[in-house]
């Protein structure tokens, strides 16, 4: 669902929860560290610089500047606690760019250090960050493990003291990420339960406008999967409007793309029942939203979100003008493959299937639908394959019917 999209904001804000006087995790330095073996004044200065660059900012430039602060000291001596903080800054910087693979090694090293140091608050943030990155990389099973471990730690923490508003918001973020990931894995019942939990948390979380929009976005995904398209459309539109104003461009663009896709779902449904006027209205709506998705992705320089929007744009042009974009779809699938973006690659394959189906080449259509399902099944993200799977069922029936007709004698000669 998201990529480099601001979903790591809790972890990307050292100093984000200073209400707990016993918590030094979000500080660049503390007197209690000075006696630790290997403690370095120069590293303390570098961490102070990095924290100043990050405080109150959520843009890639700030993360790069923070990384520049710690790079000169990374190879030198320091205490283990300082190294934990340096690794966290490095991970944050890599997590803010696409693709995010480079963040995983420093996060893994930081998690090992956090366990050795019994830094539970650090471990919460690191597991959340790694879960968010695994989700963005569409390594959904790994993301589930990280997010569930993070929530388990939060449960333990809440037994010792009442959670602060910032910690409630953190739990909300982790719950929403886990709900979205469970959806991708096809566990829709658990996704719905997690969304209900998120609804309860929203009322207690401060400044949760963006989280409310993510909640609506994920509900819209579930509703679309169930075929409740009209409700899905309005729910997605609410999310898209909020994220357009308050969200990261990557998320904002993808929410617009979701609205466009649901509008095109309704176009196809209405064409099927021969309601051309109503179908045209949804086609027009889809055009507006896919263009907005492209604009937001380009303004935010979010390549993956732009690529997803271009798949939907190809779908719109096929439905509106019968235009084939076979070459573009091959290009987009190749981008998805090179960046390990399984969702992009699979959706491009599925649209290739629809493209060939529209041209009457059913064998090629079946080939591409099967390609889409194969890579989704391999990654365990079965939810995204529902439309390719339904298309295969339909085409298999049509081809069986055609073969039966062809074998029935002169009636097949037309």
């Amino acid at each position: 669902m998201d990529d480099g999209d601001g979903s790591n904001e809790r972890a990307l804000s050292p100093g984000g929860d200073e209400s707990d006087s016993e918590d030094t995790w979000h500080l660049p330095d503390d007197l209690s560290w000075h006696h630790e073996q290997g403690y370095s004044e120069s590293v303390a200065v570098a961490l102070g610089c990095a924290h100043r660059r990050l405080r109150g900012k959520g843009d890639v430039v700030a993360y790069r500047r923070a990384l520049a602060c710690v790079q000169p000291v990374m190879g030198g001596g320091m205490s283990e606690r300082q190294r934990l903080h340096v690794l966290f800054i490095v991970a944050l910087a890599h997590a803010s760019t696409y693709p995010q693979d480079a963040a995983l090694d420093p996060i893994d090293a930081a998690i090992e250090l956090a366990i050795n140091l019994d830094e539970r608050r650090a471990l919460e943030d690191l597991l959340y960050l790694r879960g968010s990155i695994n989700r963005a990389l569409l390594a959904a099973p790994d993301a589930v493990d990280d997010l569930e471990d993070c929530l388990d730690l939060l449960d333990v923490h809440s037994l010792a003291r009442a959670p602060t508003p910032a910690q409630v918001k953190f739990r909300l973020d982790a719950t929403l990420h886990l709900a979205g990931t469970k959806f991708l894995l096809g566990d829709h019942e658990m996704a719905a339960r997690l969304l209900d939990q998120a609804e309860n948390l929203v009322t207690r979380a401060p400044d949760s406008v963006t989280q409310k929009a993510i909640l609506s976005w994920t509900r819209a995904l579930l509703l679309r999967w169930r075929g409740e398209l009209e409700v899905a459309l309005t729910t997605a539109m609410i999310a898209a409007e909020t994220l357009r104003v308050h969200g990261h461009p990557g998320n904002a663009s993808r929410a617009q793309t979701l609205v466009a896709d649901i509008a095109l779902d309704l176009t196809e449904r209405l064409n099927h029942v021969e309601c051309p006027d109503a179908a045209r209205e949804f086609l027009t709506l889809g055009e507006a939203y896919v263009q907005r998705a492209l604009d937001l992705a380009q303004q935010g320089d979010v390549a993956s979100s732009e690529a997803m929007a271009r798949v939907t744009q190809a779908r719109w042009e096929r439905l509106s003008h019968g235009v084939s974009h076979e070459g573009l779809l091959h290009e987009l699938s190749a981008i998805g493959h090179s960046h390990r973006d399984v969702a992009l690659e699979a959706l491009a394959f599925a649209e290739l299937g629809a493209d060939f189906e529209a041209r009457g080449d059913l064998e090629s259509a079946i080939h591409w639908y099967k390609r889409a399902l194969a890579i989704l099944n391999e990654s365990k993200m079965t939810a995204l394959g529902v439309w390719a799977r339904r298309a295969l069922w339909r085409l298999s029936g049509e081809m069986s019917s055609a073969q039966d007709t062809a074998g029935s004698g002169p009636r097949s000669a037309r």
Side-chain angles (χ1 to χ4, degrees):
M1 278 172 48
D2 46 20
D3 54 287
D5 54 9
S7 59
N8 305 326
E9 284 177 3
R10 184 349 173 123
L12 297 180
S13 304
D17 181 12
E18 297 174 1
S19 58
D20 184 349
S21 60
E22 297 179 20
D23 177 29
T24 61
W25 163 234
H26 286 296
L27 299 176
D29 192 34
D30 190 75
L31 284 173
S32 64
W33 307 354
H34 291 199
H35 70 280
E36 294 177 349
Q37 183 178 356
Y39 175 82
S40 166
E41 291 283 356
S42 60
V43 172
V45 170
L47 285 170
C49 167
H51 278 239
R52 288 192 297 276
R53 297 290 182 269
L54 288 174
R55 186 175 300 280
K57 298 181 178 66
D59 58 87
V60 175
V61 173
Y63 304 138
R64 288 175 181 162
R65 288 175 176 169
L67 179 61
C69 290
V70 299
Q71 276 179 324
V73 301
M74 284 170 56
M78 64 189 79
S79 72
E80 285 198 335
R81 204 167 304 273
Q82 287 181 313
R83 189 169 301 282
L84 171 62
H85 283 251
V86 168
L87 286 167
F88 185 52
I89 297 297
V90 173
L92 294 176
H94 289 309
S96 70
T97 59
Y98 177 81
Q100 299 171 314
D101 309 54
L104 292 176
D105 283 344
I107 292 175
D108 290 345
I111 285 175
E112 185 175 346
L113 267 178
I115 292 170
N116 291 338
L117 293 167
D118 196 27
E119 275 278 12
R120 283 177 290 179
R121 293 295 296 277
L123 197 53
E124 290 170 8
D125 276 3
L126 289 162
L127 286 167
Y128 174 83
L129 180 59
R130 191 171 68 179
S132 301
I133 292 169
N134 276 326
R135 183 163 173 258
L137 294 172
L138 300 172
D142 292 336
V144 165
D145 289 343
D146 287 332
L147 293 166
E148 287 181 340
D149 287 347
C150 175
L151 286 167
D152 287 344
L153 278 176
L154 289 171
D155 287 338
V156 172
H157 188 92
S158 66
L159 292 174
R161 70 196 73 179
T164 65
Q167 289 162 3
V168 173
K169 190 174 181 180
F170 182 33
R171 177 180 285 277
L172 171 60
D173 286 334
T175 301
L176 287 171
H177 274 56
L178 184 56
T181 311
K182 287 289 189 179
F183 167 78
L184 290 175
L185 289 170
D187 190 349
H188 302 120
E189 185 178 339
M190 178 55 74
R193 285 207 296 269
L194 288 163
L195 290 178
D196 290 340
Q197 292 176 25
E199 289 273 14
N200 293 328
L201 291 167
V202 159
T203 60
R204 297 188 286 126
D207 305 320
S208 56
V209 173
T210 302
Q211 285 80 2
K212 288 178 183 176
I214 299 294
L215 179 54
S216 294
W217 179 5
T218 312
R219 282 211 186 280
L221 288 168
L222 274 170
L223 288 163
R224 184 190 181 206
W225 185 89
R226 292 170 181 163
E228 300 175 38
L229 298 181
E230 293 82 358
V231 184
L233 181 67
T234 55
T235 306
M237 289 173 79
I238 292 168
E241 181 57 26
T242 302
L243 291 171
R244 185 180 66 82
V245 177
H246 299 286
H248 181 279
N251 265 353
S253 173
R254 294 209 179 202
Q256 305 287 328
T257 298
L258 175 60
V259 176
D261 271 318
I262 297 170
L264 297 181
D265 292 343
L266 285 161
T267 299
E268 291 186 308
R269 176 184 286 181
L270 290 163
N271 278 334
H272 184 68
V273 297
E274 298 182 357
C275 293
D277 292 341
R280 274 193 295 272
E281 289 184 16
F282 284 111
L283 198 59
T284 300
L285 182 68
E287 179 185 20
Y289 272 89
V290 77
Q291 187 56 57
R292 199 175 299 157
L294 288 167
D295 291 344
L296 285 164
Q298 289 163 358
Q299 289 165 18
D301 193 25
V302 188
S304 58
S305 294
E306 181 180 352
M308 295 289 273
R310 293 214 174 276
V311 174
T312 301
Q313 186 181 46
R315 182 187 179 196
W316 179 85
E317 293 191 1
R318 171 175 57 80
L319 291 173
S320 60
H321 300 109
V323 175
S324 170
H325 282 286
E326 183 181 347
L328 172 65
L329 291 167
H330 280 295
E331 181 183 332
L332 292 171
S333 69
I335 292 171
H337 183 75
S338 65
H339 289 299
R340 295 197 304 163
D341 190 334
V342 176
L344 173 58
E345 187 177 10
L347 292 174
F349 284 164
E351 178 55 29
L352 273 167
D355 187 298
F356 278 105
E357 184 181 353
R359 288 185 270 159
D361 186 346
L362 302 190
E363 288 188 5
S364 294
I366 287 172
H367 166 77
W368 289 111
Y369 287 137
K370 285 183 175 179
R371 286 281 303 271
L373 287 175
I375 59 173
L376 290 171
N377 289 338
E378 185 179 349
S379 67
K380 313 285 190 216
M381 296 194 306
T382 57
L384 297 181
V386 63
W387 294 278
R389 193 173 297 109
R390 289 171 183 170
L392 278 176
W393 291 338
R394 185 184 64 253
L395 290 183
S396 295
E398 289 180 9
M399 291 189 77
S400 295
S401 177
Q403 288 168 358
D404 289 345
T405 303
S408 62
R411 289 178 55 194
S412 64
R414 302 178 63 130

